[in-house]
Amino acid sequence: MKINIKPAEGKLGILIPGLGAVATTLIAGVEAVKKGISQPIGSLTQMGSIRLGKRTEARHPKIKDFVPLANLNDIVFGGWDVYEDNVYQAAVNAKVLERDLLDSVREGLESIKPMKAAFDKNYAKNLDGTYIKTGTRHELAQQVMEDIKNFQKDNGLDRVVLVWCGSTEVYFEGSEIHETLAAFEQALLDDDKRIAPSMIYAYAALKLGVPFANGAPNLTVDIPAMIELAKLTKTPIAGKDFKTGQTLMKTVLAPGLAARSLGVHGWFSTNILGNRDGLVLDDPDNFKTKEVSKLGVLEDILRPEDNPELYGEIFHKIRINYYPPHGDNKESWDNIDIFGWLGYKMQIKINFLCRDSILAAPIALDLALFCDMAKRANMSGIQEWLSFYLKSPQTAPGLHAENDIFKQLIKLENTLRYLMGEDLITHLGLDYYDDMFAGQ
Amino acid sequence: MKINIKPAEGKLGILIPGLGAVATTLIAGVEAVKKGISQPIGSLTQMGSIRLGKRTEARHPKIKDFVPLANLNDIVFGGWDVYEDNVYQAAVNAKVLERDLLDSVREGLESIKPMKAAFDKNYAKNLDGTYIKTGTRHELAQQVMEDIKNFQKDNGLDRVVLVWCGSTEVYFEGSEIHETLAAFEQALLDDDKRIAPSMIYAYAALKLGVPFANGAPNLTVDIPAMIELAKLTKTPIAGKDFKTGQTLMKTVLAPGLAARSLGVHGWFSTNILGNRDGLVLDDPDNFKTKEVSKLGVLEDILRPEDNPELYGEIFHKIRINYYPPHGDNKESWDNIDIFGWLGYKMQIKINFLCRDSILAAPIALDLALFCDMAKRANMSGIQEWLSFYLKSPQTAPGLHAENDIFKQLIKLENTLRYLMGEDLITHLGLDYYDDMFAGQ
Amino acid sequence: MKINIKPAEGKLGILIPGLGAVATTLIAGVEAVKKGISQPIGSLTQMGSIRLGKRTEARHPKIKDFVPLANLNDIVFGGWDVYEDNVYQAAVNAKVLERDLLDSVREGLESIKPMKAAFDKNYAKNLDGTYIKTGTRHELAQQVMEDIKNFQKDNGLDRVVLVWCGSTEVYFEGSEIHETLAAFEQALLDDDKRIAPSMIYAYAALKLGVPFANGAPNLTVDIPAMIELAKLTKTPIAGKDFKTGQTLMKTVLAPGLAARSLGVHGWFSTNILGNRDGLVLDDPDNFKTKEVSKLGVLEDILRPEDNPELYGEIFHKIRINYYPPHGDNKESWDNIDIFGWLGYKMQIKINFLCRDSILAAPIALDLALFCDMAKRANMSGIQEWLSFYLKSPQTAPGLHAENDIFKQLIKLENTLRYLMGEDLITHLGLDYYDDMFAGQ
Amino acid sequence: MKINIKPAEGKLGILIPGLGAVATTLIAGVEAVKKGISQPIGSLTQMGSIRLGKRTEARHPKIKDFVPLANLNDIVFGGWDVYEDNVYQAAVNAKVLERDLLDSVREGLESIKPMKAAFDKNYAKNLDGTYIKTGTRHELAQQVMEDIKNFQKDNGLDRVVLVWCGSTEVYFEGSEIHETLAAFEQALLDDDKRIAPSMIYAYAALKLGVPFANGAPNLTVDIPAMIELAKLTKTPIAGKDFKTGQTLMKTVLAPGLAARSLGVHGWFSTNILGNRDGLVLDDPDNFKTKEVSKLGVLEDILRPEDNPELYGEIFHKIRINYYPPHGDNKESWDNIDIFGWLGYKMQIKINFLCRDSILAAPIALDLALFCDMAKRANMSGIQEWLSFYLKSPQTAPGLHAENDIFKQLIKLENTLRYLMGEDLITHLGLDYYDDMFAGQ
Ligand SMILES: NC(=O)c1ccc[n+]([C@@H]2O[C@H](COP(=O)([O-])OP(=O)(O)OC[C@H]3O[C@@H](n4cnc5c(N)ncnc54)[C@H](O)[C@@H]3O)[C@@H](O)[C@H]2O)c1
Ligand SMILES: NC(=O)c1ccc[n+]([C@@H]2O[C@H](COP(=O)([O-])OP(=O)(O)OC[C@H]3O[C@@H](n4cnc5c(N)ncnc54)[C@H](O)[C@@H]3O)[C@@H](O)[C@H]2O)c1
Ligand SMILES: NC(=O)c1ccc[n+]([C@@H]2O[C@H](COP(=O)([O-])OP(=O)(O)OC[C@H]3O[C@@H](n4cnc5c(N)ncnc54)[C@H](O)[C@@H]3O)[C@@H](O)[C@H]2O)c1
Ligand SMILES: NC(=O)c1ccc[n+]([C@@H]2O[C@H](COP(=O)([O-])OP(=O)(O)OC[C@H]3O[C@@H](n4cnc5c(N)ncnc54)[C@H](O)[C@@H]3O)[C@@H](O)[C@H]2O)c1
Ligand code: NA
Ligand code: NA
């Protein structure tokens, strides 16, 4: 049985708080793809295919041909930032894409000017931008709602989604004001400092029924108040922290080690990067937010409590080092101490010469497109099937997050199959061996 | 509905052609585990657990407690080699395990003396062993059958399985004599040189209904004649080439790249190793067999024909270098040239300080135990669900091999669930979000 | 003309404050070498040779056969520590050497029991040893002098040298009390907290005319007061910080880059280690001392002020991470961003799977032997020719330290040649080409 | 006393057999430098400085300001190739330099058109160029002499030098025709196939008194006949094989290990590259020439015969793999197995993301400039002081080649000091410590 999904007619607005490296790489890229200059590599929605039916049927449609997603030509971008640079200038500063490429889509980028940010410097001390809204948190939320509505009207949009691509905010833990929608709304009125700027955007979006995805490790929509609001307004949410670089590799490799029941003594991960993200993360308070997000994945995948002989004593350490010579070319190095048969030790070393925003941009795109589709399919609240894209995925209360990227992928694919009324795939495949149990 | 599996009562003989590094590491290891000195890390059957039911049920039994496998205490080892060394001596020569460990199980190992090998030097020129049977290929097969029967009788065994751990044989392609059982049996009588020694063991085993697993990349049971014989005698077969080291990593990593629709320009893999396996593979003809086995995996996982923009021009090169200073500590180095969003290039470099036989021994164990269980479950012919363990897995004619280790794992696990009458797992999990489509 | 050097007759005592990983590896190693079990690899004095005369003379004596060094058989070890463990126990705890080796020299090691330490916990907060002398700093110095004299008498020694192998002390900069001997001696009487424990040992040694080498990055003898005292008592001093691991590699590689006029944008160095040294350095104050010592070398070798186009903007970052899984097997990873012809960028990555104390022990030995010889040659004060062994070498006031290990080696070798009246080597070698300027 | 060197007046022609990656990178680079667009990084003559006098004098002039070298503005380039592409086209094909840079000097490059090559396909089977001279070897030599004279006349040149940047020729060993000039000249007349094309150019140059440097590992001028001719015509020669990439690193690192008396068990070196050089070296006969050149360096530096305990059993293996995805970005990976104190093992792994021609071009420039200066200084025959630049340096008969890059550098620098009448530097430096032996 197929789920009823409204068609992706009309235009889709993608609004982005934080027009930095990731956002400008996304926007410039989509423009280049629309012009036929480049390809949206790394985007599952655009490049990926999905197997349907039995292996022998050889059905592998592209995902964008299988489920009803918005077409890239129907997308309009906008956003907010604490710096006034238009998207072209911001992209030039970010130094991710080559000048040639940017120049080929310059006009489109220049026309996108940020709206003033809802900001509080206490949440990102290393930023000195001054293009900032004023008012209490409640007033800021109202202003952001106005921004969204105006953007929709001005651009003749059918639908809008928000994707947070702002800097990582400082670490803090949820408190009573984040527990219920009522408490949160009161705190907005009280201009309570415990409401992070990202939450103001999220609140504004959800209030309007606009889906919200969170690319940073901040709590943002990962608090009970926001989940309550999402259910209330029937809005999908997805968070948190784009899964790129080292963590991507980790959630690929750790399942491989676990699959083979290989033990892990230690995992040391270090990174060098020199972009603005790196600068913000050079502040220990902001790094803490990222560290917590990055540390969790191993524990979930390896489950030390269930496998004490293999993973009971794992020592996991993560470092991020601000290193300007590399700019956006984040480079990671991992040393993994494993042990096998009879406890014999081995080591794996991985050096990833990565390009951070190149990996993140297509994730931002996919999250936007899938959230929009989810909304049209009447799916609301936490979209666990999108955890494939996230370092620290939200789940139903009481559920362990699933960080194994391959289980996440099966979940995503089987969700798509389910929506479209196709058979789920179990990889059992005994039917290819009809006579397997012949003697039985 | 649960499949009927005969219980694992009585003793199980594991007979191994090729008592070299892998085999002696396996045997010494099992002895050490039985004595409580070491743990069988890396063995899914012994250390691995399997999730059953819903996530919230928290059912994760060990695999050995879930399906009826032979107990390690009921195993008796034996084998053949072209060198007369007993298993203790062979293990000392192999330099995989530390002397201390070997000495703690010395007596048990010394008591295992090889039987004379069925051998033909043309299949492994770098070997100079002389502990060899004489006769035509037909006669050799009869002798091996006698060996198996005597071994079973002398040790009071309930069941036997064979696992090929002999050297990699030279490369050749199947010909008409490998096409049908009748042609093969005639060729045995003709002492046809195109029958490789490994096939003599395989034929003898299958003829007696004894399961056969192949740890090397030689054809052996991967020819129509053997599949025919396996079906005839209702015997499980599994091949070929233990998946360890670099290829293990490759089948972990490549699915991760494919999952994220990242493109691959090139993949360069080189290895250094200094054991006897390395010496044999220093002969280009033997290396060819290994190379073919190792090269295949990427193509299957990335499917260039279906994803030409991502994988259409991949350049894949594999080298194995004989490097005595490292002994059995095979070390691999991979450089992977990938590209992402808009074609931007990135590189991944992996340096695996591996211990080859440490990774292979538990695979040999698991294959033996699962093949024995398959026989008791009345499963016969190709056991595709064991492809998890193999570099170049056999499949039903007409099916692409599945090399993605995570799909292989799901297949293995769902096969076990199926056998035991448990629900298959699809990772859909929408039931945790009851109200997901509330509005529908 | 040959310098007059007193022969190395009688016994030499090597006294070591800090009987930890380095010291016990040194002591156990010398014992094993004396028993003929092992070889003193990595020690230039024991294994190295020196070229003399013209290339065609083929004169390459071992250094120990060229200059009059104490024989290993004439060495007696002793030391101090804040823990009471004898050297065997301490060596077992340090986990550097294998149990088998330690057991083969157990008796000799067990007989070496530490003397109580001169210690102040403010200089190493992560240490909790309690085997500590009491008294004012002046009294402690007197006690250490007594220790030295008793040790010499009890063991019938001809000469003694001290080599600091104690933990790295917290970072601080020299102040007025370190400026002159008079001020320093007053501060001792005042029990001034600015006198680090290591200085107490150094003072005691120099006062007695006993050479002192400093294996840690603490100031210790690198203050004017100590240099004054060394000249006064005609005693050689050498410091500071054994040059091992990553810094060793850096002072090898950086001269290579500079030789070829290759530019350097950035150099990122990270380390993982899990021994007690790592634990102490996990305290930021102690790490600071190490960091300063390690950072200096690049600047000296590359001289950014003289080569602004090549090295003017180098970004140099060093990290040390406490990572218990690796124990004493310190592992370093460097990423070096270089540029060549027309500014084109290249990268060098170095992964050193090092064994820290294995590299340090022979340095400690060589410094002890050379300092003893220097004393017999009547050389006093700073021994710049020993900077070959040191991360942060002391030099005459006003001179840049020379950190290029190859210039350091030439200096060391030419010093030896000078002492023995041999020709210095310039590598000009035009004499091999007699007719080179024939036409002139 | 200063040597008399004719001033570098007038124009210098640099003629290059082989206008491929290295040559075009050199030519384009010099043009860009002349226009002030780029800097000649990696060229010691242009960027390097030299210390003169005592350290305290702080005299560090640039080398080009110290010795009388030709000015870059006075250089005119020309050359030969088997392909007819002009230098701009050849540079574009070589894919070393960015299009932007090439376009900024396009005119100059386009005006340089190759002369027809003296070629024999047997010496480079993977080349299919057809822009080739015809005639016997003797006739070809005459034609090349005409080419040189015409080039000098047409461009109004004061002096000319030749630098071989042609492909690596197949491996062969010298025979009787290479022993004497007379035999060689007879062989030219006989059109003897044992005369490699590169020798034809070398012969032509030397005959005219034109210096010749050899950037490839072919014998070329490294035969007695050529040395005889060089002496006869008072012409400097320098060869062979530009020292770049992995070998550069090796001659930096190996001296470092030897300095510290660290043992070496094994050294495994592998390379991946995808340019035309790589294609030619994919032929085993051509690779052989390169391999011999690359293998020699370790032996010379470590001298196993003199240090059997340290280097007696070193296993050294070198691989070059043609890997198109990397183009000219040759990447090397080394694994070095070393041992230290008591034989304990350590490993060093080096991954060099190199740009081959970027490293080679400035070497070609320096060799040309220094050879020209040597000629003006009346130096003739083998210029061992230029071995700094070469993988397999020529030396006086009976002398071991010196491959330690730091000794080579001292030799080069002291040669320059010698020529200019400055003191040689020994790094003894006792004069900074006047009172060192005060007590003596
Ligand atoms: N690049 C990646 O691979 C990657 C991966 C995972 C997560 N992330 C996260 O994505 C986010 C964006 O990364 P980036 O590399 O683009 O960083 P960036 O620093 O280039 O861009 C962030 C932008 O957000 C703006 N900003 C900060 N606070 C804001 C606010 N309250 N309102 C509006 N704008 C605000 C900043 O001014 C900046 O321009 C970061 O949180 C980062 O941690 C990035
Ligand atoms: N070690 C691994 O990780 C690994 C992984 C995949 C596959 N394999 C394969 O497993 C096999 C065994 O590997 P190994 O490291 O133990 O090698 P090995 O050389 O140590 O042992 C192989 C043994 O087989 C014996 N042999 C050869 N031909 C024989 C014959 N006809 N009959 C009986 N004995 C014979 C040899 O004498 C030798 O003792 C090889 O084919 C290898 O390629 C090993
Ligand atoms: N291992 C190397 O490669 C290396 C290289 C360069 C420098 N170093 C330096 O050498 C020193 C020793 O290194 P290690 O690895 O042996 O460390 P370690 O921690 O194993 O040993 C140091 C010992 O010094 C003792 N100690 C500390 N303060 C003391 C005091 N005041 N008096 C007497 N004993 C005292 C400690 O109790 C400890 O036992 C450290 O400073 C280290 O930074 C070591
Ligand atoms: N690039 C480096 O780092 C490096 C380092 C050391 C040595 N080398 C050597 O330098 C040489 C040039 O390297 P490259 O990368 O420029 O190679 P390349 O293949 O790009 O250029 C070589 C050119 O020589 C031409 N050629 C061949 N035989 C010729 C002949 N007889 N007469 C005239 N032209 C001839 C070829 O057609 C080609 O254009 C090679 O021998 C290489 O091994 C290069
Ligand atoms: Na290789
Ligand atoms: Na780090």
Side-chain angles (χ1 to χ4, degrees), chain B residues 209-242:
Chain B
V210 164
F212 187 98
N214 179 15
N218 335 303
L219 286 182
T220 314
V221 290
D222 195 7
I223 52 173
M226 291 290 177
I227 299 171
E228 187 182 339
L229 177 55
K231 296 309 297 184
L232 200 71
T233 61
K234 303 218 165 88
T235 316
I237 55 177
K240 56 191 193 289
D241 210 1
F242 300 134

Side-chain angles (χ1 to χ4, degrees), chain A residues 30-38 73 103-108:
Chain A
V30 169
E31 294 309 314
V33 170
K34 279 164 31 180
K35 289 203 172 179
I37 299 170
S38 304
N73 290 310
D103 284 342
S104 69
V105 293
R106 177 167 186 159
E107 216 171 328

Side-chain angles (χ1 to χ4, degrees), chain A residues 268-272 318-321 333, chain C residues 268-272 318-321 333:
Chain A
F268 176 74
S269 299
T270 194
N271 292 275
I272 49 182
I318 298 174
R319 287 287 167 267
I320 300 186
N321 301 284
W333 184 77
Chain C
F268 175 75
S269 300
T270 195
N271 291 276
I272 49 182
I318 297 175
R319 286 288 167 267
I320 300 187
N321 301 284
W333 184 77

Side-chain angles (χ1 to χ4, degrees), chain C residues 170-173 281 283-293:
Chain C
V170 296
Y171 184 76
F172 65 95
E173 277 164 41
L281 294 173
D283 181 322
D285 290 338
N286 298 62
F287 173 61
K288 179 76 191 290
T289 309
K290 195 61 138 186
E291 190 184 20
V292 167
S293 171

Side-chain angles (χ1 to χ4, degrees), chain D residues 17-23 80-83 117-119 127 164-168 197 201 215-217 241-242 244 275-277 290 356-357 360 391:
Chain D
L19 293 170
V22 173
W80 299 263
D81 209 291
V82 306
Y83 297 99
F119 186 62
L127 291 182
W164 172 268
C165 295
S167 310
T168 299
Y201 294 95
D241 209 3
F242 299 136
T244 58
N275 57 13
R276 192 188 285 163
D277 188 27
K290 196 58 138 188
D356 228 21
S357 303
K391 274 198 198 93

Side-chain angles (χ1 to χ4, degrees), chain A residues 265-328:
Chain A
H265 275 309
W267 195 311
F268 176 74
S269 299
T270 194
N271 292 275
I272 49 182
L273 88 168
N275 56 12
R276 192 188 284 163
D277 187 29
L279 181 64
V280 169
L281 294 174
D282 218 29
D283 182 320
D285 291 337
N286 298 62
F287 172 62
K288 180 76 191 289
T289 310
K290 196 60 135 187
E291 191 185 21
V292 167
S293 172
K294 290 172 81 103
L295 273 176
V297 303
L298 271 194
E299 204 155 325
D300 163 67
I301 296 173
L302 302 177
R303 293 183 298 110
E305 64 291 355
D306 291 336
N307 303 289
E309 313 96 324
L310 297 173
Y311 310 115
E313 304 198 0
I314 185 169
F315 188 93
H316 187 197
K317 195 159 193 163
I318 298 174
R319 287 287 167 267
I320 300 186
N321 301 284
Y322 182 54
Y323 180 72
H326 272 206
D328 190 68

Side-chain angles (χ1 to χ4, degrees), chain C residues 182-424:
Chain C
F184 185 86
E185 294 194 324
Q186 183 59 48
L188 276 176
L189 289 165
D190 299 345
D191 197 20
D192 192 312
K193 300 268 174 261
R194 288 171 294 176
I195 293 182
S198 64
M199 291 170 175
I200 298 172
Y201 295 95
Y203 174 80
L206 298 183
K207 205 68 184 170
L208 299 174
V210 164
F212 188 97
N214 179 15
N218 334 303
L219 287 181
T220 313
V221 290
D222 194 7
I223 53 173
M226 292 290 177
I227 299 171
E228 188 182 340
L229 177 56
K231 296 309 298 185
L232 200 73
T233 61
K234 304 220 165 86
T235 315
I237 55 176
K240 54 194 193 289
D241 209 1
F242 300 134
K243 176 148 84 177
T244 58
Q246 191 172 56
T247 308
L248 173 64
M249 293 296 291
K250 209 172 265 179
T251 65
V252 166
L253 197 57
L257 299 175
R260 274 292 318 270
S261 294
L262 293 166
V264 182
H265 276 309
W267 195 310
F268 175 75
S269 300
T270 195
N271 291 276
I272 49 182
L273 88 168
N275 56 13
R276 193 188 284 162
D277 187 29
L279 181 65
V280 169
L281 294 173
D282 217 31
D283 181 322
D285 290 338
N286 298 62
F287 173 61
K288 179 76 191 290
T289 309
K290 195 61 138 186
E291 190 184 20
V292 167
S293 171
K294 291 172 79 103
L295 273 175
V297 303
L298 270 194
E299 203 155 325
D300 163 69
I301 295 173
L302 303 177
R303 292 182 299 114
E305 63 292 354
D306 291 337
N307 302 290
E309 315 95 324
L310 297 174
Y311 310 114
E313 302 198 1
I314 184 169
F315 187 93
H316 186 197
K317 194 159 194 162
I318 297 175
R319 286 288 167 267
I320 300 187
N321 301 284
Y322 182 54
Y323 179 72
H326 271 207
D328 190 68
N329 296 353
K330 191 186 209 163
E331 175 170 350
S332 64
W333 184 77
D334 284 80
N335 170 67
I336 313 160
D337 288 288
I338 67 173
F339 56 100
W341 189 238
L342 316 180
Y344 276 74
K345 294 179 178 184
M346 294 168 277
Q347 298 183 14
I348 302 172
K349 309 194 186 270
I350 302 190
N351 182 211
F352 192 176
L353 280 73
C354 163
R355 301 185 60 114
D356 228 21
S357 303
I358 292 295
L359 287 176
I363 295 184
L365 176 64
D366 283 8
L367 284 173
L369 295 182
F370 277 142
C371 281
D372 169 52
M373 183 190 77
K375 174 84 187 178
R376 285 181 281 112
N378 241 331
M379 298 163 87
S380 66
I382 297 165
Q383 304 295 310
E384 197 192 332
W385 62 288
L386 295 177
S387 57
F388 173 71
Y389 293 110
L390 299 160
K391 275 198 197 92
S392 185
Q394 284 183 251
T395 54
L399 278 189
H400 266 253
E402 180 58 79
N403 278 305
D404 176 331
I405 198 169
F406 302 102
K407 295 195 181 139
Q408 291 172 333
L409 179 62
I410 295 168
K411 179 185 288 289
L412 186 153
E413 290 183 341
N414 274 341
T415 300
L416 298 183
R417 292 184 188 108
Y418 173 84
L419 290 174
M420 305 307 291
E422 290 279 345
D423 283 349
L424 303 193

Side-chain angles (χ1 to χ4, degrees), chain A residues 417-434:
Chain A
R417 291 184 189 109
Y418 173 84
L419 290 175
M420 305 308 290
E422 290 278 344
D423 283 349
L424 304 192
I425 286 190
T426 65
H427 294 288
L428 180 65
L430 286 176
D431 37 351
Y432 304 116
Y433 299 85
D434 291 336

